[in-house]
Amino acid sequence: MQRVMIIGATSAIAEATARVYAKRGDALALLARNQERLQSMAEDLKIRGANKVLTRVIDVNDTENHTTSLDGTIAELDGVDVVLIAHGTLPDQRACEADISLTLNEFATNATSTIALLTHLANHFEQQGKGQIAVISSVAGDRGRQSNYVYGAAKGALTIFLQGLRNRLAPKGVQVLTIKPGFVDTPMTAEFKKGLLWAQPEQIAKGIVKGIDKRKDVVYLPFFWRYIMIIIRSIPERIFKKLKL
Amino acid sequence: MRISGWGNYPVIDSSVDSPLSPTQVEHCMLAGFNGIARGMGRSYGDSSLSSHVISGLSLHHLLDFDNETGVLRCQAGVTLADILDLFVPRGWFLPVTPGTKFVSVGGAIASDVHGKNHHIDGSFCEHITELDLMLADGRIERCSATHNRELFHATCGGMGLTGIILSAGIRLKPITSSYIDEVTLKAPDLTAIIEMFEQYLSSTYSVAWIDCAARGKRMGRSLLMLGEHAIDAPLRNATPHNRSLPFNMPEHTLNRYSIKAFNSVYYHRKFFARQQRRIHYDPYFYPLDGVLHWNRLYGKKGFTQYQFVLPQESSAEGMRQVLERIVSAGRGSPLAVLKSFGRENDNFLSFPRQGLQLALDFKINDGVFEFLNDLDSIVLDHGGRLYLTKDARMSEAMFKQSYPRWQQFMDVRTRYGADKVFNSLQSKRLGI
């Protein structure tokens, strides 16, 4: 049995991932903002086979309380083997361009808050000398594009942070996994027109658990995004800047 | 965003809310919601379409399961596929299932779906222990066949027009294996298949595929498929399928010649008059779910399914007239499903009633609506009616004549203030 802690647990991808662990009979700690949703999710996961399910309300942007929340959860879960950080928002790029504080808030939710959580968790994992940290970044962090560079910059910052963290924790036996999903059909992307490149949260969840089980460093989900992003990254900047992406 | 039913006709622009909790549904109500709830979008026509819809799919939690009684309480956005995945290995099955597992529990209740065991077990809602409904004013009302009866019978089969179904209790049925023993029998014509339905009334599952392109002496030739849960076989999950039609097929993929050829091959692939096999429940109940997005076979303009039931006493004659009309118009359907229903239930707008039902797919093209109007008059003349879940074009007059309890349904809606808040393109078309 693994002890799995999920932050941003009510997001569609996180919930689908929690169901995979529940089916295996693992113990889960769920952290998110919405108390009502957390409660019914916990009942659901128990019926699906989870050994035990704890919940805790957390506001990721309230970094002052991170230490208490994380330590409290780990104690209640009786230790932790896997952490998945999955919270995030999809900023309205146009609105951000007209509003400094909105831009900074979005950056905080998608980058700073996660970096804060990781700063504390990293020390815990380093000390215990084992365990797995998985964080949802995005293909959007691989290159800045005019259509969503606030989100892209936050995810890009997170990706670099995770690279460094992996470098630090690898010798200690702790895995750090950077997850880069492409287009996923979730409430966060409800307003988008869906095409062939879109994936369901359940598909992404399987890829996440596989990436954790196989102790990978970086996974693109679904796999073909690795090749799409190789192409996107290889376009020279003097051409790229003229594209409408 | 653009939404449509499974028939891809009609397609409309709609603003979609996806509440994560009953409280968020309440917020939608208090903010003046006007429209309809929607689940997996598997009703074929315009039942789940309106300029504003609430998607129930994020309300997808199991709430409680009683191992002794088999009663599962869950939120309305849970799909039948999800229930099967989890409970078949534990020895439980759906009491009633339609021909696709990709429907939500809320949708199954709103359509009061039926399956191959209707003649014995009735329709889906007859196995609902109770349900929680959010009313127009945001209050939650619990109802069942014994408590708040009228609200219950209006909501079951009520196409979402009484409120938002939040959660329900379903009585699952115990099984000892996930396999079905299937027997297929050949019926050379319409008279034969009607007699065979009578003869095999005690089979748990029975349904027939009918070759609606066959004419003359062969008119109504069918394959009757009977099924029983196998006793001495393993409990095993379905293997996930990944075939999918990635895009709409060209408009003429299905034409009268390809349909005729398909039907002939399908009928003759069963060489013997009686064949027996043991198959997994998944291909048995959900043969079309194996190809995701099979609706794209009908091309961009979409299709409509014409599903009607005729009362016992007039079914033989009415069915004959419908088949003659289809053959003479040269409008076959590759997958026509014939089934003998059991008794009618107490729900005001439920489709099934004792008699024979037939379901046919028709591509949307020139003349199809005029042709279906012709079929309407045959169905009406024989005292039959159409399934609201498949409908995209029935007239108000036909609806009100063939669903005599529509007025009682309206009384309940008005009493709960639902008539001013919950409506779909279909309900507006039908004048309810």
Side-chain angles (χ1 to χ4, degrees), chain A residues 10 15 19 23 34 36-37 40-49 187 190-194 196 206, chain B residues 1 16 18 20-24 58-65 72 75 82 85-87 90 237 246:
Chain A
T10 56
E15 179 164 17
R19 286 186 178 182
K23 210 166 179 182
N34 184 335
E36 186 186 10
R37 180 77 178 168
S40 79
M41 193 175 152
E43 287 310 311
D44 175 78
L45 292 168
K46 280 183 211 160
I47 299 171
R48 286 173 195 275
E191 289 300 318
F192 288 73
K193 192 171 184 288
K194 313 291 188 294
L196 278 175
K206 273 189 196 156
Chain B
M1 65 191 275
V16 181
S18 301
L20 294 173
S21 63
T23 307
Q24 289 187 5
S58 293
L59 296 171
H60 56 195
H61 290 153
L62 307 174
L63 302 173
D64 180 53
F65 181 65
L72 170 70
Q75 290 184 321
D82 192 17
D85 271 352
L86 200 62
F87 288 98
R90 302 184 193 179
N237 253 339

Side-chain angles (χ1 to χ4, degrees), chain A residues 99-169:
Chain A
D99 187 337
I100 296 172
S101 67
L102 180 63
T103 300
L104 295 181
N105 284 341
E106 293 290 7
F107 196 87
T109 306
N110 289 296
T112 323
S113 69
T114 311
I115 288 170
L117 291 163
L118 285 168
T119 302
H120 187 67
L121 285 168
N123 296 335
H124 179 88
F125 276 84
E126 185 176 43
Q127 201 169 22
Q128 74 180 23
K130 58 178 184 183
Q132 298 166 288
I133 299 172
V135 182
I136 299 186
S137 181
S138 169
V139 296
D142 278 17
R143 190 158 194 178
R145 294 170 300 125
Q146 62 175 322
S147 58
N148 72 341
Y149 62 83
V150 173
Y151 183 67
K155 291 300 193 181
L158 192 53
T159 298
I160 303 277
F161 186 89
L162 289 166
Q163 265 174 5
L165 192 63
R166 182 179 307 116
N167 196 198
R168 170 184 153 201
L169 294 181

Side-chain angles (χ1 to χ4, degrees), chain B residues 53 71 78 98 145 184 255 274 327 365 368 406 426:
Chain B
V53 305
V71 173
V78 169
T184 305
N255 56 51
R274 178 192 166 92
V327 171
N365 58 16
V368 72
W406 73 271
Q426 181 180 50

Side-chain angles (χ1 to χ4, degrees), chain B residues 102-336:
Chain B
F102 299 125
V103 297
S104 65
V105 167
I109 293 170
S111 289
D112 193 12
V113 296
H114 55 268
K116 297 176 180 184
N117 55 345
H118 185 271
H119 59 290
I120 291 183
D121 297 314
S123 54
F124 190 77
C125 293
E126 289 166 57
H127 307 270
I128 295 297
T129 56
E130 90 281 307
L131 62 86
D132 281 357
L133 185 73
M134 182 158 296
L135 304 175
D137 60 5
R139 262 188 311 136
I140 298 174
E141 194 77 69
R142 178 162 292 192
C143 60
S144 72
T146 52
H147 175 69
N148 274 333
R149 287 193 65 217
E150 286 205 302
L151 186 60
F152 183 74
H153 291 306
T155 301
C156 294
M159 306 311 284
L161 297 168
T162 56
I164 311 282
I165 301 169
L166 297 175
S167 60
I170 309 164
R171 204 174 284 110
L172 299 182
K173 84 172 181 189
I175 50 171
T176 56
S177 94
S178 54
Y179 286 79
I180 300 286
D181 285 327
E182 182 196 49
V183 173
T184 305
L185 302 163
K186 262 186 166 178
D189 59 28
L190 188 62
T191 316
I193 186 67
I194 292 175
E195 278 172 11
M196 281 159 80
F197 270 122
E198 279 299 310
Q199 191 183 339
Y200 292 98
L201 217 50
S202 61
S203 284
T204 307
Y205 299 108
S206 76
V207 70
W209 166 84
I210 182 168
D211 178 357
C212 60
R215 50 175 78 218
K217 267 194 352 207
R218 293 184 190 134
M219 196 173 75
R221 70 178 177 186
S222 310
L223 298 173
L224 177 63
M225 289 166 260
L226 308 172
E228 298 294 340
H229 286 279
I231 310 279
D232 52 342
L235 279 168
R236 204 175 283 154
N237 253 339
T239 45
H241 41 69
N242 36 24
R243 284 168 297 167
S244 171
L245 267 186
F247 41 73
N248 286 315
M249 291 290 132
E251 205 188 316
H252 296 292
T253 308
L254 286 183
N255 56 51
R256 70 167 73 178
Y257 305 106
S258 67
I259 288 171
K260 202 171 168 189
F262 170 87
N263 280 356
S264 193
V265 169
Y266 196 87
Y267 182 75
H268 288 295
R269 95 200 144 97
K270 298 283 179 194
F271 185 73
F272 299 103
R274 178 192 166 92
Q275 277 189 3
Q276 196 163 348
R277 62 172 177 166
R278 175 168 288 186
I279 65 169
H280 191 264
Y281 79 82
D282 199 61
Y284 179 79
F285 287 104
Y286 315 111
L288 289 173
D289 284 350
V291 186
L292 301 174
H293 301 298
W294 63 263
N295 52 342
R296 290 174 177 156
L297 193 57
Y298 286 91
K300 205 175 163 197
K301 286 185 190 160
F303 70 109
T304 185
Q305 190 171 86
Y306 193 79
Q307 184 167 6
F308 64 94
V309 59
L310 300 175
Q312 192 86 332
E313 56 283 5
S314 60
S315 0
E317 179 49 31
M319 209 50 84
R320 190 172 308 282
Q321 286 184 22
V322 168
L323 289 173
E324 270 165 10
R325 189 73 192 81
I326 291 169
V327 171
S328 69
R331 290 181 185 272
S333 162
L335 291 153

Side-chain angles (χ1 to χ4, degrees), chain A residues 28 58 84 92-93 112 121 123 134 136 166 180 220 225:
Chain A
L28 293 158
I58 186 178
L84 171 67
D92 179 339
Q93 172 66 32
T112 323
L121 285 168
N123 296 335
I136 299 186
R166 182 179 307 116
K180 296 184 180 179
Y220 284 83
W225 282 98

